[in-house]
Amino acid sequence: MQAIPLSTIETLLDGQIDIRRRPGSIQPMRLPVAELPFYDAFTQWVASCATGCRLRFRTDSTTVKLTATQHLLALPNDGERRGAYDLYVEGEFFARTWGVGGAEMDPQGGLTGDAALTLAFEGMPAGDKTVELWLPQAATVAITGLELEAGASLKAVPDGRPRVLFHGSSISHGMEAEGATANWPAVASRLANLDHLNLGWAGSCLLSGLAARIIRDQRADAIVLKLGINVHTDGQLKERNFLDAAHSMISIIREKHSTTPMLIVSPIWSPPRETAGDGPSLQRMRQLLQMVVDARIKTGDGAIGYLDGLELFGPADAALLPDDLHPNTEGYRLMGERFHRLVLSGENGLVRA
């Protein structure tokens, strides 16, 4: 086997906002490393999770081995397992593995086990091919090494397809999905043959100006903002603040994406939150977000639209919502398929490959 230098591995990374460099490791981050002190500890952690981050390269190796340090939040969700690494070869799913080792994090931040992790994918097809190794969405991953067969070729392959940028809560982050590519943004983008950047921040989609600045500064051919559910908790925004924050977020993004297609998606079905809350209920949030979009259209934004979250996941899907908040893997798959059908397919899709 041949060991690939970290400096080369870094060029293979995709799906991150920034890279945290430490002696002996590189960690993809979904927020700017220099701005970490701007964020609360919880947001720092969820934005450091690797959802949507992957190594993308061409090689003729039939084996790829990865070493890393991993901190996994192993959430229970309908008995499904977390922390999978997914491998795609020439755009097709090849295998899923969970590796050996890694530390497990409890909700209070305590760690159990050794963070060091190793995994290997073997038996890939011979010959030159594009490989994508997707990192787990429920874990932070600092890569310490990558190995290919001795003498194998290696070349970074940037994803040149049109890119959809997604921002939202844990439901967009997909932390509860079994596989690294089983969240709904990944499912929808794959069906449409599009690149995507997942800026879902579990528990931390707060209609934030900091998040808006990150989105504003990214390459994106379309932007999807799935808003509302995280500010329902404890009534973090009242109705007036909610409207102001939503408009402010959109205005910041529009500073550099003035004509980029943008879709505002309201919350999916969540029975305990539909009519209750210290601030707007989910039912009211859907009305408010529709009002926001209508106001933007009225003032000349012809590239913005609204999608009711119930069209992605509604009352009829309740059996796929184990905790009355987060879909299971099957629920995420259905959301992705529906988003593809409603938004990304056909001549009038949000963006075309």
Side-chain angles (χ1 to χ4, degrees):
M1 300 293 289
Q2 61 169 317
I4 309 302
L6 282 178
S7 58
T8 301
I9 298 172
E10 183 172 320
T11 68
L12 312 179
L13 279 169
D14 199 359
Q16 75 282 354
I17 296 299
D18 203 351
I19 296 174
R20 192 173 196 173
R21 301 169 181 87
R22 298 184 180 95
S25 72
I26 52 172
Q27 179 184 351
M29 303 282 285
R30 296 182 304 120
L31 81 176
V33 173
E35 296 185 359
L36 273 168
F38 297 177
Y39 296 83
D40 65 275
F42 186 82
T43 301
Q44 287 182 23
W45 192 80
V46 295
S48 300
C49 288
T51 191
C53 298
R54 64 270 194 193
L55 294 167
R56 180 180 169 88
F57 54 93
R58 287 192 71 81
T59 184
D60 57 5
S61 181
T62 62
T63 299
V64 57
K65 293 184 178 180
L66 183 77
T67 59
T69 57
Q70 174 182 285
H71 294 166
L72 170 68
L73 185 61
L75 295 171
N77 192 45
D78 206 26
E80 297 174 327
R81 190 177 179 187
R82 304 292 153 252
Y85 291 74
D86 287 353
L87 189 75
Y88 279 71
V89 176
E90 291 295 326
E92 299 293 330
F93 178 78
F94 179 78
R96 174 173 292 163
T97 187
W98 280 264
V100 177
E104 189 169 302
M105 177 181 287
D106 63 45
Q108 288 71 45
L111 289 173
T112 303
D114 186 343
L117 176 135
T118 63
L119 62 90
F121 290 97
E122 299 176 331
M124 291 191 298
D128 197 41
K129 56 200 166 287
T130 297
V131 174
E132 290 179 298
L133 174 52
W134 294 76
L135 308 180
Q137 78 283 8
T140 61
V141 179
I143 297 169
T144 57
L146 179 71
E147 294 184 16
L148 303 175
E149 290 173 332
S153 61
L154 176 65
K155 180 182 178 182
V157 184
D159 196 328
R161 297 172 298 175
R163 170 183 272 189
V164 183
L165 186 155
F166 294 86
H167 176 61
S169 67
S170 55
I171 297 163
S172 298
H173 187 143
M175 194 172 285
E176 299 78 19
E178 182 175 80
T181 56
N183 55 72
W184 72 267
V187 171
S189 300
R190 187 164 59 251
L191 288 172
N193 191 29
L194 295 169
D195 181 17
H196 81 284
L197 178 64
N198 190 328
L199 295 184
W201 289 355
S204 291
C205 179
L206 305 177
L207 285 72
S208 153
L210 288 171
R213 289 173 58 246
I214 294 173
I215 297 166
R216 177 195 64 188
D217 294 341
Q218 303 309 304
R219 175 179 68 83
D221 298 287
I223 296 169
V224 178
L225 305 177
K226 191 174 182 309
L227 306 176
I229 189 68
N230 285 155
V231 298
H232 180 276
T233 305
D234 300 325
Q236 293 183 50
L237 292 177
K238 305 304 182 184
E239 189 163 309
R240 288 177 64 193
N241 309 82
F242 185 93
L243 288 167
D244 181 86
H247 275 299
S248 296
M249 181 173 222
I250 294 167
S251 292
I252 291 169
I253 295 168
R254 282 294 191 223
E255 290 172 0
K256 292 186 180 178
H257 286 280
S258 59
T259 60
T260 302
M262 181 184 294
L263 186 69
I264 309 302
V265 185
S266 60
I268 67 168
W269 173 253
S270 181
R273 301 164 180 85
E274 287 295 316
T275 58
D278 293 333
S281 67
L282 297 195
Q283 289 184 2
R284 182 57 176 157
M285 282 184 182
R286 296 184 189 108
Q287 296 171 345
L288 293 172
L289 289 171
Q290 177 75 75
M291 290 167 55
V292 167
V293 171
D294 289 346
R296 310 297 294 201
I297 293 172
K298 186 176 181 179
T299 55
D301 190 338
I304 195 168
Y306 171 79
L307 177 66
D308 189 325
L310 296 181
E311 293 195 56
L312 297 181
F313 194 101
D317 305 309
L320 304 178
L321 202 69
D323 61 358
D324 282 340
L325 178 60
H326 303 99
N328 59 16
T329 296
E330 175 66 10
Y332 283 127
R333 182 187 64 78
L334 286 175
M335 285 184 66
E337 291 174 348
R338 289 166 179 167
F339 190 84
H340 171 254
R341 175 175 55 83
L342 292 168
V343 177
L344 298 180
S345 63
E347 288 298 314
N348 296 319
L350 191 66
V351 61
R352 284 182 288 172

